[in-house]
Amino acid sequence: MHGYSIGIFPMGNDEDDTISWFEASPRAIMPIELKSSDINIPRSLKQVINKNIFKVTIDKAFAEVIEACADRNNTWINQLIKKAYIELHEEGYAHSIETWHGAKLVGGLYGVSYRGAFFGESMFRRKDNASKIAVIKLYEILKKNKYILLDIQMMTSHFQTFGAIEISRRAYLEILERAMEVSREFK
């Protein structure tokens, strides 16, 4: 392992504006390279997609997405986290997927793209299915550009529906190492 395969992620503390580091075990991922088919999309969500209720954009409102992700009672996204990820976005590493209903931002997600991996950080929704639509768009981008890893850190029912799996630390580090050996573009 080349020193970058630790697999930890930051969690901010709003009370004292510090950052702690955590490692999820087992680790949750969306298996991009392991699946020959696309993401699992429930029939009801396919109906929503077919109605074209939402417009989806990429990197058009990064600061607004991270702010919306932090807007909840309990959040790990403190001012240090916001500042760090906005700087990563400005440097071309952090990206957002935005879901719009008319002119209103109603859902989205953000994360970091590095080499052949995308590390999902957080998402939000203000309208049903808005964040799910963002996840589908993210998956399409990563699949199209032959990414190896979509790291979602911890399993949620949201991602389980789409086909996310939990893997051991060892399996995660093996996939991460392969992802670090390739170069991919988020486009």
Side-chain angles (χ1 to χ4, degrees), residues 29-98:
I29 66 166
M30 284 294 297
I32 300 171
E33 69 171 354
L34 302 176
K35 293 184 73 161
S36 57
S37 63
D38 288 331
I39 191 170
N40 298 332
I41 302 173
R43 196 171 134 237
S44 60
L45 188 55
K46 284 180 183 178
Q47 292 171 342
V48 171
I49 293 168
N50 291 336
K51 290 179 183 176
N52 289 319
I53 297 169
F54 300 106
K55 176 183 168 195
V56 180
T57 57
I58 302 165
D59 290 336
K60 299 293 183 205
F62 185 88
E64 291 89 339
V65 168
I66 196 169
E67 204 58 56
C69 288
D71 186 19
R72 56 183 88 170
N73 291 335
N74 294 320
T75 185
W76 58 272
I77 305 171
N78 64 15
Q79 291 304 317
L80 281 174
I81 294 279
K82 290 177 197 174
K83 183 178 183 300
Y85 281 94
I86 288 171
E87 287 175 11
L88 284 170
H89 174 68
E90 290 167 354
E91 293 174 15
Y93 293 104
H95 300 280
S96 60
I97 308 281
E98 306 91 14

Side-chain angles (χ1 to χ4, degrees), residues 115-129:
R115 306 207 48 84
F118 188 90
F119 306 92
E121 294 299 330
S122 190
M123 63 175 146
F124 80 99
R125 71 169 173 87
R126 293 183 180 137
K127 189 166 181 61
D128 286 347
N129 298 309

Side-chain angles (χ1 to χ4, degrees), residues 7 27 119 149 151 167-176:
R27 192 67 166 229
F119 306 92
L149 174 64
D151 180 354
I167 59 175
S168 69
R169 182 179 192 275
R170 180 177 179 173
Y172 172 78
L173 292 176
E174 288 171 3
I175 295 170
L176 180 60

Side-chain angles (χ1 to χ4, degrees), residues 28 69 98 131 135 138 141 151:
C69 288
E98 306 91 14
S131 61
V135 169
L138 172 65
I141 290 168
D151 180 354

Side-chain angles (χ1 to χ4, degrees), residues 106-118:
V106 293
L109 59 82
Y110 76 95
V112 173
S113 173
Y114 184 71
R115 306 207 48 84
F118 188 90

